[in-house]
């Protein structure tokens, strides 16, 4: 499985990779390049960056300064990825798992609980997911990045 570290200049890219089911850790602080490189090696992660110095190293993908929706297809094509929406947490990158509807009662808005039958929970931060108004947008992005 292809895994990534996404540097601090590409927060939206990290979020969208996760929404599409890709393991994408995000470096959101001033972590030294050497530590990012070390972590990439230790965890077998490809570093996605706009930093030309960091991007010249093996195990990195130097990406252009383009909108996320243009960048995602490049990443998916280059690494032969297939989107798998609703499999990773967009916040913490942990896997999400299906949960019984009754277990989320009181943890989601009542209207959502009444309208939805399927829910997922993050195994890390315990955020609850459902196919809400954003779901169609996620699927449209998944279709754009799919190599099929």
């Amino acid at each position: 499985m292809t895994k990534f570290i996404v540097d601090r200049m590409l927060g939206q890219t990290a979020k969208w990779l996760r929404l599409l089911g890709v393991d994408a850790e995000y470096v959101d602080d001033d972590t030294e390049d050497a530590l990012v490189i070390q972590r990439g090696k230790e965890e077998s992660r490809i570093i996605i960056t706009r930093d030309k110095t960091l991007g010249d190293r093996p195990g990195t993908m130097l990406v252009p300064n383009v909108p996320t929706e243009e960048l995602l297809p490049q990443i998916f094509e280059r690494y032969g990825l297939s989107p798998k929406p609703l499999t990773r947490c967009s916040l913490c990158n942990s896997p999400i798992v299906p949960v019984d509807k009754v277990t989320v009662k009181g943890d989601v808005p009542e209207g959502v609980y009444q309208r939805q039958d399927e829910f997922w929970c993050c195994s890390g931060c315990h955020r609850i997911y459902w196919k809400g108004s954003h779901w169609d947008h996620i699927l449209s992005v998944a279709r754009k990045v799919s190599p099929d």
Side-chain angles (χ1 to χ4, degrees):
M1 174 176 64
T2 306
K3 302 183 297 185
F4 299 95
I5 293 180
V6 182
D7 79 8
R8 65 186 166 274
M9 294 180 266
L10 296 161
Q12 284 296 313
T13 301
K15 176 184 173 184
W16 272 99
L17 286 169
R18 293 169 177 177
L19 284 169
L20 297 172
V22 177
D23 186 336
E25 291 292 334
Y26 176 58
V27 179
D28 65 352
D29 56 16
D30 292 327
T31 304
E32 295 293 323
D33 287 354
L35 294 175
V36 174
I37 293 165
Q38 178 183 350
R39 184 171 171 201
K41 287 179 183 176
E42 289 173 357
E43 298 178 13
S44 299
R45 291 182 180 275
I46 297 163
I47 301 165
I48 298 177
T49 186
R50 285 193 182 134
D51 180 328
K52 290 180 182 175
T53 304
L54 184 57
D56 284 340
R57 298 184 173 266
T60 64
M61 179 181 182
L62 179 64
V63 297
N65 188 4
V66 297
T68 300
E69 60 268 10
E70 291 179 33
L71 186 55
L72 290 171
Q74 293 176 31
I75 296 168
F76 273 74
E77 181 178 340
R78 179 170 176 174
Y79 295 101
L81 304 173
S82 296
K84 295 172 185 67
L86 276 180
T87 58
R88 298 202 81 78
C89 179
S90 64
L91 296 179
C92 76
N93 195 41
S94 296
I96 61 173
V97 294
V99 294
D100 290 329
K101 180 175 180 171
V102 295
T103 65
V104 300
K105 185 158 180 68
D107 293 330
V108 298
E110 186 60 31
V112 169
Y113 186 80
Q114 295 300 323
R115 288 187 305 274
Q116 301 294 324
D117 291 322
E118 294 179 290
F119 293 90
W120 294 260
C121 185
C122 174
S123 60
C125 70
H126 306 290
R127 180 178 186 186
I128 300 168
Y129 289 85
W130 60 89
K131 293 179 182 178
S133 59
H134 59 286
W135 181 243
D136 289 337
H137 182 59
I138 293 169
L139 290 181
S140 74
V141 173
R143 283 190 290 275
K144 289 176 187 174
V145 303
S146 182
D148 298 340

